[in-house]
Amino acid sequence: MNDMRVVDMHCDTLLVLRMTGRNLDDINGHINIEKLRRGGALLQSFAVFTPTGPEAKIYRLSESPWEYFLSCAELFNAQLQRCSADIAPMRSMVDLRRNMAEGKISATLTLEDAVCLDGDISRVQRLYDEGV
């Protein structure tokens, strides 16, 4: 029997959740809790994509890239809390092993780019603190 598990290093699901007001356990997109379970997900990386310029208008963003990142980090944490029976944060191999032992999918927050830094290197510490 093959116990291969899937590690997906990128999805734009946070953007979709933000735009639709839906949740990981009730959205019918590429990524949701049910599909992650069925697909054998070990780890799902949730990217923060920061639309800028004309794209910002398309996605109805009015805040700064930094404020947008903070709201996405808050959304990520809220989704993990909401779906805590199925998915948990992973910031280290200890977390990954614990999540596996508990039968949970691991989740990590990533950046698609560094637009949110807006040239302010001091923000890197906050990214680290948020688990990026």
Side-chain angles (χ1 to χ4, degrees):
M1 177 178 216
N2 186 355
D3 287 332
M4 185 171 68
R5 303 285 304 274
V6 174
V7 174
D8 181 0
M9 298 304 294
H10 183 98
C11 73
D12 290 320
T13 301
L14 289 176
L15 180 63
V16 175
L17 295 176
R18 183 183 154 104
M19 291 196 57
T20 63
R22 304 295 298 267
N23 297 292
L24 271 175
D25 57 353
D26 70 10
I27 193 165
N28 189 20
H30 292 108
I31 302 289
N32 64 32
I33 294 296
E34 179 187 348
K35 289 178 181 178
L36 289 170
R37 283 263 179 234
R38 276 194 331 232
L42 173 66
L43 168 66
Q44 180 62 56
S45 295
F46 291 86
V48 176
F49 164 64
T50 307
T52 58
E55 282 187 324
K57 289 183 182 179
I58 293 169
Y59 291 106
R60 301 183 301 270
L61 300 182
S62 58
E63 65 264 72
S64 73
W66 182 245
E67 291 167 332
Y68 174 74
F69 165 76
L70 293 174
S71 71
C72 287
E74 184 178 320
L75 175 62
F76 173 77
N77 290 321
Q79 291 300 309
L80 295 186
Q81 182 66 34
R82 177 184 171 94
C83 302
S84 63
D86 295 297
I87 193 166
M90 189 220 59
R91 295 183 178 193
S92 69
M93 286 303 295
V94 170
D95 294 338
L96 182 69
R97 288 184 186 106
R98 182 187 62 245
N99 294 342
M100 288 176 65
E102 293 176 2
K104 294 182 181 183
I105 301 159
S106 288
T108 190
L109 187 63
T110 64
L111 290 179
E112 186 161 332
D113 53 36
V115 170
C116 67
L117 294 178
D118 196 27
D120 186 348
I121 195 70
S122 69
R123 291 177 173 168
V124 171
Q125 182 63 49
R126 178 69 185 268
L127 295 177
Y128 177 81
D129 293 343
E130 290 292 341
V132 174

